[in-house]
Amino acid sequence: MATRRIISTEKTILDKDDDDISSPVAGQQQSSNTAPAVPMDVILKLLAFTFAMVVVPIGSYFLSVNTFFKGNSTYAGGLAAVMANVVLVGYVIVAMNEDQSDQLEAKKKAGKKE
């Protein structure tokens, strides 16, 4: 079985890939983008809904177990589960509306350019 020796001046596949990435093409400057990948308002909405997902079900359980359900923890637990689902559905609705507003803004910008 014969093996092939790599000549020191010959570039391997890995060397070729590194050269392609590191050198700018035909003298073009590549600017780095330091903007965050996710807008701040999206992060704040996620944090708010995360906080609500923790506080609302637990709070509804402890508020309702003695006030509405007179010590019956089964019903209070059911209410807590329903409230967790309400928060989750609220997040999905907000996320869908945000996605649709982004698409509408993109269509408006495309319409103005033409």
Side-chain angles (χ1 to χ4, degrees):
M1 182 168 178
T3 60
R4 182 174 182 267
R5 295 184 186 194
I6 297 176
I7 302 171
S8 62
T9 58
E10 183 180 330
K11 291 187 176 184
T12 63
I13 293 173
L14 296 174
D15 292 335
K16 290 178 184 177
D17 288 342
D18 290 341
D19 290 341
D20 292 342
I21 294 172
S22 64
S23 64
V25 178
Q28 294 177 351
Q29 284 286 353
Q30 294 179 350
S31 62
S32 64
N33 186 3
T34 58
V38 180
M40 191 57 142
D41 61 331
V42 173
I43 294 172
L44 291 176
K45 286 178 191 174
L46 179 63
L47 289 175
F49 276 101
T50 301
F51 180 74
M53 193 63 163
V54 172
V55 171
V56 170
I58 294 172
S60 67
Y61 173 82
F62 285 112
L63 287 174
S64 67
V65 71
N66 289 324
T67 55
F68 299 123
F69 302 120
K70 307 214 185 326
N72 190 345
S73 61
T74 303
Y75 291 143
L79 178 66
V82 168
M83 294 307 292
N85 285 312
V86 167
V87 171
L88 183 63
V89 168
Y91 179 72
V92 169
I93 290 170
V94 168
M96 288 177 59
N97 286 338
E98 182 178 313
D99 189 36
Q100 289 175 356
S101 66
D102 290 344
Q103 290 175 356
L104 291 175
E105 287 177 14
K107 285 181 182 179
K108 285 180 184 179
K109 286 180 183 179
K112 288 181 181 179
K113 288 182 181 179
E114 293 181 277

